[in-house]
Amino acid sequence: MPFHRSPMRYAHIIGYTTITYQADGDCIISVGYDGDFRIWHGIGQDDPPTVCVGEHVWTALQYDDRVLIATDLNTVQAYKYPSLDKDGIEFRFTAYVTCLFIAAGSEDATIKVLSLDNGEQFELEDLGGPVLSMDVSKRDLLAASIGDGKIHVWDIKTKALKKTIQGLPTVKSFEAVLYFASPAFEPTEGTLLAYPKGNEVIVLNTKSWQEVKKYVHPIPSRQLTVCGFSPMGDYIAAGSVVGDVCIWDAETGKIVEGDHQYEANPITKLVWNPKNNGELAISDANGQVGTVTDIFIESSEEDFEGGDIVLMAEKEKDDQKPGEFYDLFDECKNDDGMFFLRKALLFNTKNDENDVKGAVKGGKKNDVNEVLDNAESEKAESEKAESDTDEMNENCIELNKLKSEIMGPVEEPDVPLSDAELDDDEPRMVPKSYPQQPPFQPGSTPCEWEHCYLVYNHVGIVRRHATVAENSIEADFHDTQVHHSIHLQNFLNHTMAGLSETVLALASPNCDGQPSKIVCINQVAFGKREWTYTMPDCEEIIAVTASDKTVVVATDSRLVR
């Protein structure tokens, strides 16, 4: 039975979003770029409890009756859970915190570890890049993925660096990260360390640091970014930059079949439910969260041994119970072994079977042959009569004959059909169909022109220049005291635009294998003003419009988003 994946649903505004489970696994906790802390009692909850704890929230960790939350104030604030009353500050950094365990990693290339023995802290500094992801094992090992393309493993007690793994993607800022390369320890004993690289999940032994296993995504182009073991270590899951989740049986390496993704957004976090109930939760870079449930494999011993399907089919055939006349056929088989075929071809009625059965029980083999010969001659005469009928009707197929051969004898109707039912010459109404009108953008000119208008409305004018020397977009506003003109390079080949007092929306179709995208530039926000959304491969934007609060696109799938 395949696993089920819920549709991704809105949780936070577009930006880095992360999730974790409540310590008992009853609830899902999500935090995002909007500064909200949300508790989900099931992914389908319409209005989850929400508390705003800062301008931006980067990560959270819940344990016992406390929850640690990393905000834009570059601190790790402790709260009482679930009341969210402040309970002190655990860590302070010079940049925002990106991940939490008994240690906290930050954008400033520093990790601070809290000793469980005496409550003191020690630091791991000058790591070469922002800390992207961390995990802690039962063997007191701390693994951290760093933005310089390396994974470092330390012994927490001795503070010694045990292993450095290289060759991973590099990034200079946590906000720009796409490949987290999140390390994950096997949770029961901590003897294995897994991390994603390309389309593979590589597993190392934490004693010898030798590669012991490798799980490969069936699609070579899939680039994995996060991974994690199930609570008992019997499964391992990984999320990719296009939003799909792949799950393997940790022992056999067999892929667990399941639903495909709904949207192509990079997975930012993947966590298993601590209840070990075959469920995990995921979040993406579009501010959405979802779950994967019913994760298990039903397979027999032959599946693991790679049994031959032909041998399995033969075995299944041998295990079938014999039919009602199985022993009867053994007694009456003739010398050339053709009795079974004759029986199959000639028995048309229950009386034929009863006649043969009675003859066999009486021990008269000649009587059996006589019954079969009579049945054969009757069948030959019947087939001859049917062939003569076919010749007269020029091989036409009679409906009642076809029904009788498939469904058994068909009863003739007692009441004759009326003239209205037999009249096939009466004209019938056939609905007309008209070609669909091609999409168009109000206030625009054909995009095939070198200089064209993308939109012209009461707010301003958006023009596109596509020549040999220039490929750019220019936006001019009627009220220059409120907005300034915008001039930008058209790298994504935008051909549609929507303009309002608050936003400039630019849309591009599918081009050169790249999916359709929409880029929105907020005219009234401070800080990060631009956000993008990539459409699924099966949809292409054909029209776009914008108001003061919303941006709407129409796609070739006849959907409005």
Side-chain angles (χ1 to χ4, degrees):
M1 179 179 179
F3 63 76
H4 300 289
R5 179 171 175 179
S6 70
M8 302 296 287
R9 62 166 299 168
Y10 171 82
H12 305 274
I13 65 173
I14 293 178
Y16 178 76
T17 304
T18 185
I19 54 173
T20 184
Y21 273 97
Q22 189 174 284
D24 57 7
D26 289 338
C27 301
I28 299 174
I29 297 172
S30 69
V31 295
Y33 199 72
D34 53 5
D36 288 342
F37 177 93
R38 295 191 173 187
I39 304 174
W40 303 80
H41 298 275
I43 200 64
Q45 185 176 3
D46 292 333
D47 190 15
T50 303
V51 177
C52 184
V53 295
E55 185 175 352
H56 305 303
V57 179
W58 298 101
T59 185
L61 174 67
Q62 194 275 325
Y63 65 97
D64 298 334
D65 60 345
R66 302 179 82 210
V67 61
L68 303 180
I69 301 176
T71 67
D72 56 298
L73 300 177
N74 303 342
T75 61
V76 177
Q77 177 72 54
Y79 294 85
K80 293 291 185 181
Y81 185 80
S83 63
L84 292 185
D85 297 327
K86 288 187 176 181
D87 192 28
I89 294 177
E90 293 293 337
F91 300 100
R92 294 181 185 273
F93 290 85
T94 60
Y96 54 85
V97 176
T98 58
C99 43
L100 279 174
F101 283 94
I102 61 172
S106 172
E107 168 82 0
D108 61 5
T110 303
I111 296 176
K112 292 185 178 181
V113 184
L114 179 64
S115 175
L116 299 180
D117 297 333
N118 51 23
E120 296 181 355
Q121 297 182 11
F122 66 89
E123 295 186 9
L124 303 171
E125 299 177 319
D126 301 328
L127 300 179
V131 181
L132 308 181
S133 181
M134 294 192 309
D135 196 14
V136 179
S137 78
K138 287 189 174 182
R139 295 178 176 268
D140 297 324
L141 294 177
L142 170 64
S145 173
I146 312 299
D148 60 354
K150 300 177 183 178
I151 293 178
H152 298 294
V153 183
W154 294 272
D155 188 316
I156 298 178
K157 291 184 176 180
T158 64
K159 307 176 186 178
L161 180 62
K162 307 293 287 186
K163 179 66 176 178
T164 299
I165 303 169
Q166 301 183 1
L168 302 174
T170 60
V171 66
K172 293 183 178 180
S173 173
F174 183 81
E175 291 190 68
V177 66
L178 191 61
Y179 303 95
F180 291 89
S182 60
F185 286 102
E186 195 276 325
T188 58
E189 298 180 356
T191 57
L192 300 176
L193 172 64
Y195 66 94
K197 184 178 180 181
N199 71 324
E200 302 172 342
V201 175
I202 300 174
V203 181
L204 304 180
N205 186 297
T206 56
K207 293 182 180 179
S208 62
W209 299 111
Q210 298 294 320
E211 180 180 319
V212 294
K213 288 184 180 180
K214 184 183 293 184
Y215 305 98
V216 182
H217 196 287
I219 302 178
S221 61
R222 289 290 191 266
Q223 299 295 306
L224 304 178
T225 176
V226 295
C227 70
F229 282 97
S230 62
M232 297 303 295
D234 45 357
Y235 295 99
I236 185 169
S240 76
V241 295
V242 295
D244 65 340
V245 175
C246 191
I247 304 172
W248 296 270
D249 185 296
E251 182 179 354
T252 65
K254 184 176 181 179
I255 293 180
V256 182
E257 300 295 335
D259 298 335
H260 297 288
Q261 76 270 22
Y262 293 85
E263 298 184 30
N265 297 310
I267 302 295
T268 58
K269 193 66 178 293
L270 181 151
V271 290
W272 288 83
N273 192 319
K275 287 184 176 181
N276 194 37
N277 57 355
E279 175 184 295
L280 60 84
I282 54 177
S283 61
D284 64 22
N286 208 34
Q288 302 180 115
V289 297
T291 57
V292 178
T293 57
D294 299 333
I295 303 172
F296 59 89
I297 293 181
E298 286 185 350
S299 54
S300 61
E301 185 177 355
E302 288 81 358
D303 293 335
F304 294 117
E305 296 175 356
D308 189 347
I309 189 172
V310 177
L311 298 178
M312 295 169 63
E314 292 178 352
K315 179 180 178 182
E316 182 180 358
K317 181 179 179 181
D318 294 338
D319 292 340
Q320 291 179 351
K321 294 182 180 181
E324 182 180 359
F325 299 101
Y326 191 87
D327 54 345
L328 178 64
F329 295 159
D330 286 341
E331 295 180 15
C332 299
K333 182 173 64 176
N334 58 12
D335 295 337
D336 55 3
M338 294 300 294
F339 176 83
F340 301 108
L341 180 60
R342 293 184 66 190
K343 186 265 177 187
L345 294 175
L346 301 179
F347 281 176
N348 293 323
T349 64
K350 191 68 178 178
N351 293 332
D352 293 339
E353 295 183 357
N354 292 337
D355 292 342
V356 175
K357 186 175 180 181
V360 171
K361 287 184 177 180
K364 299 179 180 179
K365 187 173 182 179
N366 293 333
D367 293 342
V368 175
N369 292 331
E370 183 178 353
V371 172
L372 292 175
D373 292 338
N374 293 337
E376 188 174 10
S377 59
E378 292 176 1
K379 187 173 183 64
E381 294 176 0
S382 176
E383 290 176 352
K384 182 178 180 181
E386 292 175 357
S387 62
D388 294 341
T389 304
D390 287 342
E391 292 178 358
M392 294 175 62
N393 293 322
E394 297 182 356
N395 293 326
C396 293
I397 299 177
E398 186 181 356
L399 182 60
N400 289 339
K401 175 185 175 183
L402 185 61
K403 287 184 178 180
S404 63
E405 291 180 354
I406 299 176
M407 305 174 59
V410 179
E411 296 183 359
E412 296 292 337
D414 297 333
V415 181
L417 297 177
S418 62
D419 294 338
E421 294 174 330
L422 293 175
D423 189 6
D424 291 334
D425 297 332
E426 184 177 349
R428 299 180 181 179
M429 298 296 296
V430 179
K432 296 182 180 180
S433 61
Y434 297 91
Q436 184 180 6
Q437 176 179 333
F440 69 95
Q441 283 284 125
S444 66
T445 56
C447 61
E448 292 81 8
W449 297 357
E450 290 185 348
H451 305 279
C452 66
Y453 289 93
L454 299 186
V455 64
Y456 193 133
N457 60 18
H458 67 286
V459 178
I461 307 169
V462 180
R463 289 185 290 261
R464 190 192 69 160
H465 307 284
T467 63
V468 178
E470 182 184 12
N471 186 15
S472 63
I473 290 179
E474 183 181 8
D476 294 322
F477 297 89
H478 300 314
D479 190 350
T480 57
Q481 294 181 353
V482 178
H483 301 296
H484 298 288
S485 299
I486 299 175
H487 186 87
L488 50 89
Q489 295 296 321
N490 190 12
F491 295 111
L492 298 179
N493 294 321
H494 296 298
T495 59
M496 297 160 281
L499 184 64
S500 70
E501 294 284 354
T502 60
V503 67
L504 168 61
L506 302 171
S508 62
N510 296 339
C511 181
D512 297 332
Q514 297 297 324
S516 183
K517 287 187 178 182
I518 181 169
V519 177
C520 295
I521 302 175
N522 198 324
Q523 302 296 320
V524 295
F526 296 95
K528 189 176 181 180
R529 301 174 55 194
E530 182 178 315
W531 58 269
T532 64
Y533 182 82
T534 303
M535 301 297 295
D537 293 338
C538 59
E539 286 189 62
E540 181 180 8
I541 298 176
I542 57 176
V544 61
T545 187
S547 69
D548 291 344
K549 295 184 179 180
T550 59
V551 175
V552 182
V553 299
T555 70
D556 58 353
S557 299
R558 300 191 180 185
L559 297 178
V560 174
R561 294 184 179 273

